[in-house]
């Protein structure tokens, strides 16, 4: 009996030790989680883009005047604004996030193409189903995050046949990289309830089709999109020419805002060559549907962009500087460029 009591006593002691040990492990894990959150947080919360890239209270200039000239289509999600441009082309605009991304739903008689998928903050698939009954596939003008955000909501996804594009789609974009763009001053309206900024990410997708320079995408009813490889802003950037409607979808190769000619994956010589290429084909289009800010820009801006690059390289032009970054100001667009890229 005494032995049994002793044994029970020992068991209780061992039991208490195990509970204590587990408690210690739990406490240690909690501390680890807290420390790692703290280590990650300050850099995210205090993240600030240069004022010459993202001016304070950038949203005060909204709404942009151009939008009042188009019919707005009422849709079920507050995150998106949809406008009817000419020739069965819808602009899908995201005004509440700094990038002011614009995707385009381009409809033919048999199918539709979604030119880019924006930030992915909203439910773009649901929106597209509201707008058309046609089968819709995605074509990415390039693979920066704010053009591929909602790719994973679609089944057919194509990008230019370049390792950079394919690699970026396969990689996806992680939460740490995205968080500065969906918190703080980058947003001026509530994010959709379903989106948790602390865990949201852009999932990896596999492109189902790869596009070649000169390839024609046939949407039926005589509406086609020609793929024009325009490297420079990124190696695999493309523009899409809708010959019938005389529209050029430019992605980030041109938009009425600060053209990003400074990041690491920019090749300034290729960028200039691509603008010259588009300039050489200016007789084929009247309007540009750009990737940000305004969805409808007269084509006459393209020769002015070509001249703007010449001006910068010649050492002229008005600019503001922050470190080695310069923002040059032109009428209807600006150019952000690094000082080491400026050469004649
Ligand atoms: Zn881009």
């Amino acid at each position: 009996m005494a032995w049994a009591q002793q044994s029970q006593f020992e068991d209780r002691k061992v039991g208490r030790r195990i509970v204590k040990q587990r408690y210690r492990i739990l406490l240690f894990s909690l501390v680890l989680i807290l420390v790692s959150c703290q280590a990650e947080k300050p850099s995210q919360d205090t993240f600030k883009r240069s004022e010459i890239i993202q001016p304070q209270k950038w949203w005060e200039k909204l709404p942009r005047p151009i939008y009042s000239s188009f019919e707005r289509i009422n849709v079920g999600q507050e995150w998106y604004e949809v406008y009817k441009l000419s020739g069965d082309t819808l602009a899908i605009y995201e005004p509440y996030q700094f990038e002011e991304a614009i995707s385009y739903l381009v409809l033919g008689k048999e199918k539709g193409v979604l030119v880019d998928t924006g930030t992915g903050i909203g439910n773009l698939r649901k929106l597209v189903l509201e707008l058309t009954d046609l089968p819709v596939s995605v074509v990415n003008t390039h693979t920066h995050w704010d053009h591929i955000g909602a790719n994973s909501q679609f089944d057919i996804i194509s990008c230019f046949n370049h390792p950079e594009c394919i690699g970026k789609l396969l990689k996806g974009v992680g939460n740490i990289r995205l968080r500065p763009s969906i918190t703080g001053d980058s947003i001026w309206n509530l994010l959709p309830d379903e989106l948790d900024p602390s865990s949201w990410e852009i999932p990896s997708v596999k492109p189902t089709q790869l596009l070649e320079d000169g390839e024609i995408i046939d949407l039926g009813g005589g509406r086609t999109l020609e793929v024009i490889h325009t490297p420079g802003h990124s190696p695999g950037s493309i523009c899409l020419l809708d010959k019938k409607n005389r529209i050029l979808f430019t992605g980030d190769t041109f938009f009425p805002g600060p053209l990003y000619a400074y990041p690491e994956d920019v090749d300034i010589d290729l960028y200039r060559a691509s603008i010259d290429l588009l300039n050489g084909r200016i007789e084929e289009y009247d309007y540009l549907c750009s990737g940000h800010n305004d969805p409808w820009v007269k084509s006459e801006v393209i020769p002015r962009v070509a001249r703007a690059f010449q001006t910068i390289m010649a050492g002229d032009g008005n600019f503001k500087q922050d470190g080695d970054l310069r923002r040059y100001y032109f009428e209807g667009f600006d150019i952000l460029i690094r000082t080491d890229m400026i050469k004649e």
Side-chain angles (χ1 to χ4, degrees):
M1 196 67 185
W3 178 83
Q5 270 175 351
Q6 175 74 16
S7 163
Q8 268 176 10
F9 178 69
E10 285 298 323
D11 280 354
R12 277 204 297 276
K13 252 171 71 179
V14 169
R16 271 205 300 273
R17 212 178 300 139
I18 289 171
V19 169
K20 258 188 194 168
Q21 222 165 29
R22 283 188 183 156
Y23 181 70
R24 249 183 248 133
I25 289 168
L26 187 72
L27 204 69
F28 182 67
S29 313
L30 272 172
V31 168
L32 257 185
I33 289 167
L34 273 173
V35 165
S36 66
C37 285
Q38 284 302 321
E40 197 176 273
K41 252 189 157 176
S43 64
Q44 295 308 315
D45 289 348
T46 56
F47 177 89
K48 205 157 177 15
R49 284 188 190 91
S50 166
E51 178 74 11
I52 64 170
I53 301 176
Q54 182 171 326
Q56 274 185 357
K57 299 190 179 167
W58 54 271
W59 53 83
E60 284 182 348
K61 62 178 180 286
L62 306 183
R64 293 174 182 272
I66 186 93
Y67 287 95
S68 62
S69 49
F70 295 107
E71 180 195 341
R72 183 168 168 187
I73 298 174
N74 287 323
V75 292
Q77 289 174 74
E78 203 193 340
W79 186 256
Y80 295 110
E81 290 183 4
V82 178
Y83 295 88
K84 192 167 174 21
L85 311 178
S86 80
D88 270 346
T89 306
L90 302 176
I92 301 171
Y93 174 50
E94 299 181 57
Y96 302 121
Q97 197 275 337
F98 167 64
E99 311 294 342
E100 288 181 69
I102 313 175
S103 312
Y104 296 90
L105 185 57
V106 184
L107 301 170
K109 282 277 172 289
E110 285 147 32
K111 57 184 182 178
V113 155
L114 189 56
V115 178
D116 289 333
T117 61
T119 65
I121 290 171
N123 188 332
L124 190 56
R125 185 187 176 92
K126 199 168 154 192
L127 181 78
V128 166
L129 287 171
E130 269 181 67
L131 298 171
T132 184
D133 296 329
L134 293 173
V136 170
S137 59
V138 169
V139 174
N140 290 130
T141 59
H142 63 301
T143 50
H144 287 156
W145 80 272
D146 49 329
H147 296 258
I148 63 166
N151 272 17
S152 65
Q153 300 170 9
F154 296 86
D155 301 322
I156 304 172
I157 299 156
S158 45
C159 68
F160 191 65
N161 188 4
H162 189 287
E164 178 252 0
C165 296
I166 302 164
K168 281 201 172 131
L169 290 187
L170 288 173
K171 197 170 173 213
V173 190
N175 178 259
I176 301 269
R177 159 87 177 73
L178 290 169
R179 221 180 299 167
S181 300
I182 51 168
T183 54
D185 281 354
S186 294
I187 298 281
W188 67 280
N189 196 8
L190 287 180
L191 293 168
D193 287 341
E194 309 77 55
L195 188 142
D196 176 2
S198 66
S199 61
W200 180 69
E201 54 188 25
I202 295 174
S204 148
V205 293
K206 194 169 181 233
T208 51
Q209 286 165 6
L210 296 173
L211 302 166
E212 303 292 342
D213 185 39
E215 189 169 334
I216 304 289
I217 302 166
D218 192 351
L219 305 180
R223 190 169 204 188
T224 57
L225 293 174
E226 178 190 338
V227 176
I228 305 174
H229 185 209
T230 48
H233 173 74
S234 75
S237 285
I238 56 170
C239 291
L240 296 161
L241 177 64
D242 175 353
K243 248 187 183 140
K244 187 182 174 191
N245 296 293
R246 300 184 56 80
I247 299 170
L248 184 71
F249 297 89
T250 54
D252 280 358
T253 298
F254 176 81
F255 56 91
L259 301 178
Y260 281 27
Y262 72 93
E264 283 305 316
D265 54 354
V266 168
D267 182 317
I268 200 69
D269 297 326
L270 288 177
Y271 202 152
R272 293 183 68 186
S274 290
I275 293 289
D276 290 344
L277 173 80
L278 295 179
N279 201 7
R281 298 187 61 172
I282 199 151
E283 298 304 322
E284 297 178 68
Y285 54 90
D286 300 322
Y287 284 94
L288 314 173
C289 286
S290 86
H292 300 275
N293 305 346
D294 289 3
W296 198 246
V297 183
K298 282 187 182 153
S299 58
E300 56 83 28
V301 75
I302 291 294
R304 292 197 291 109
V305 177
R307 284 200 297 277
F309 275 116
Q310 285 168 10
T311 301
I312 294 171
M313 295 306 172
D316 298 326
N318 298 322
F319 63 86
K320 272 190 190 161
Q321 188 159 340
D322 182 4
D324 64 349
L325 188 66
R326 282 185 185 176
R327 180 167 179 162
Y328 281 86
Y329 297 89
F330 299 95
E331 200 196 322
F333 65 94
D334 300 330
I335 295 177
L336 281 163
I337 191 167
R338 294 195 318 266
T339 46
D340 64 283
M341 291 169 146
I342 300 169
K343 57 190 188 289
E344 189 48 272

